[in-house]
Amino acid sequence: MTASVLSASIAVACAAALALPTAAPAGAVTPRADSPATTFPGSTQSLRLNPVSADRSTDTSATAGLSRQKVKPFSLVGVVWSDKNARLNGTVQVRTRPVGSTAWTGWQSVEAQNDGHAPDPATAEAESSAVRGSTAPLWVGNSDAVQVRVRAKAPTGSTRAAEPLPKGLRLDLVDPGPDPKPKPKPQPADPTASDPTASDPTATEPTATDPTAADPTAADPTAADPTAADPTAADPTAARPHTAGSKTATQPDPTELPALSKEATVAELESTGAKAGPYVAPRPRIVTRQGWGADESVRESGFSYTDTVKVAFVHHTATGNNYTCEQAPALLRSMYRYHVKSLGWRDIGYNFAIDKCGTIYEGRAGGVTKPVMGAHTLGFNADSTGVAVIGTFTSTEPSAAAVTALSRFTAWKLGLTGADPEGKATLVSDGGNRYDKGTEAELNVISGHRDGFATECPGAKLYDKLGEIRTAAARYQGR
């Protein structure tokens, strides 16, 4: 199936935004018999935004638009430009047309300032020639047409003209591909073999409070004996190296790590040779990368680690709240592709993500118990972990389920290193807009992104919940 995308003339600062033509809604959708079905692992379409003139202005340095052209269906959009250090000082809005509809959505704002989510300066990831500047991504759902308007603005309180837009502007449209198909469960020859109580209706069934009481490792089918030859053995979620271009890892991970009691969490850690401190919290259920359908051939091979985890930085993805919990895996696949293919990072930037229903997802590869170096809080990715609640919480309250999951997650992750959720920790800045390089910053062990970088992230409504989250996390740790 193909669709059309229509350009929009954009007004410069101090001029009214121009209305789009009303004659035709960006072209009709025309099915094609020879169109291949969407296949794993999705795709990214890059549409160049060319300088255009606007009414009452001939300043093309502050306006950009699209030519009319065919596009494939997509679910996430973002604007990208060439210079990673350049900022888009202005506004970006898009509207889209859902697949199967002739009506357009309303205009939606795209968060233009996204530079605080990035690899730390001077790291190999940040210095890659593939890294670009960008807006935050916006989830729009399954769509087949898009219109965009970008407006540069003059500095606040200035009479000067609008600042030029960054060079190399393009609109990226991301298709996440289909959800992974669950593997069929093997059927035992004896229908009672899978249920030891089936032949004896009086047999006692295990309780739901602690399914691991009889065997602390039974709840984790990936638990393996530690070996010196396998550095990932201590963490069953650490992805095994893969061959570049391959579609799957050589040893795929399970789709989820089930919740464990405190006792089972301690037992599992000790079974790997790790030392469990007094404040280890119960591990919450975590959907792994395989569970949400991450294509491991997209990211760079190998992993990057920091020394420890002293601080958990809380983010929002700024992708909007117009998604269902069933769509969260697709949203993560889209964001993963946007971070790697559009922004040039080695992997998705966040270490973990949480959806509105409270489901916790593994983010950047390398092992959920390990101190994986992320790209989430510019200047403070070392000795920290980044967890993003999927959505935008500038004026929208996060769900109670997401807040509870965030409390349980931070209790568990910080408990692995003995960090007190209600305490403070000192991190050394690697350079950013709030703390200069080399500055020692005393931060809350559970901090918002804005505590380390001048940004609205994680949104005022989520930021206001951090005190509640710290208290609950400390309680889950048994403090």
Side-chain angles (χ1 to χ4, degrees), residues 67-88:
S67 59
R68 189 182 182 112
Q69 54 197 289
K70 296 289 185 181
V71 297
K72 298 181 294 183
F74 57 93
S75 295
L76 180 140
V77 303
V79 174
V80 180
W81 52 90
S82 303
D83 184 357
K84 64 184 179 184
N85 296 315
R87 287 168 58 90
L88 195 163

Side-chain angles (χ1 to χ4, degrees), residues 204-220:
T204 302
E205 296 184 359
T207 63
T209 54
D210 185 4
T212 66
D215 181 359
T217 63
D220 184 359

Side-chain angles (χ1 to χ4, degrees), residues 32-178:
R32 289 176 51 184
D34 61 344
S35 292
T38 303
T39 58
F40 183 86
S43 63
T44 301
Q45 303 167 82
S46 295
L47 310 177
R48 184 177 178 180
L49 297 176
N50 296 307
V52 296
S53 60
D55 288 357
R56 294 175 287 177
S57 173
T58 57
D59 181 7
T60 59
S61 67
T63 64
L66 288 168
S67 59
R68 189 182 182 112
Q69 54 197 289
K70 296 289 185 181
V71 297
K72 298 181 294 183
F74 57 93
S75 295
L76 180 140
V77 303
V79 174
V80 180
W81 52 90
S82 303
D83 184 357
K84 64 184 179 184
N85 296 315
R87 287 168 58 90
L88 195 163
N89 294 309
T91 58
V92 179
Q93 292 181 307
V94 298
R95 68 173 185 170
T96 55
R97 187 178 60 192
V99 169
S101 173
T102 59
W104 289 89
T105 66
W107 286 102
Q108 300 182 77
S109 294
V110 180
E111 176 55 57
Q113 307 305 329
N114 194 46
D115 52 337
H117 301 81
D120 281 348
T123 60
E125 184 173 8
E127 295 302 314
S128 169
S129 60
V131 176
R132 305 175 184 88
S134 74
T135 67
L138 180 69
W139 175 259
V140 295
N142 194 18
S143 306
D144 59 17
V146 61
Q147 294 176 328
V148 61
R149 55 190 189 193
V150 180
R151 177 188 300 150
K153 63 181 180 181
T156 303
S158 173
T159 58
R160 292 188 290 118
E163 297 180 14
L165 295 172
K167 295 181 179 179
L169 280 177
R170 73 186 199 211
L171 179 70
D172 276 14
L173 309 177
V174 183
D175 168 28

Side-chain angles (χ1 to χ4, degrees), residues 373-395:
M373 174 78 85
H376 49 84
T377 306
L378 180 65
F380 290 107
N381 290 307
D383 295 344
S384 73
T385 191
V387 53
V389 181
I390 301 174
T392 303
F393 304 106
T394 305
S395 57

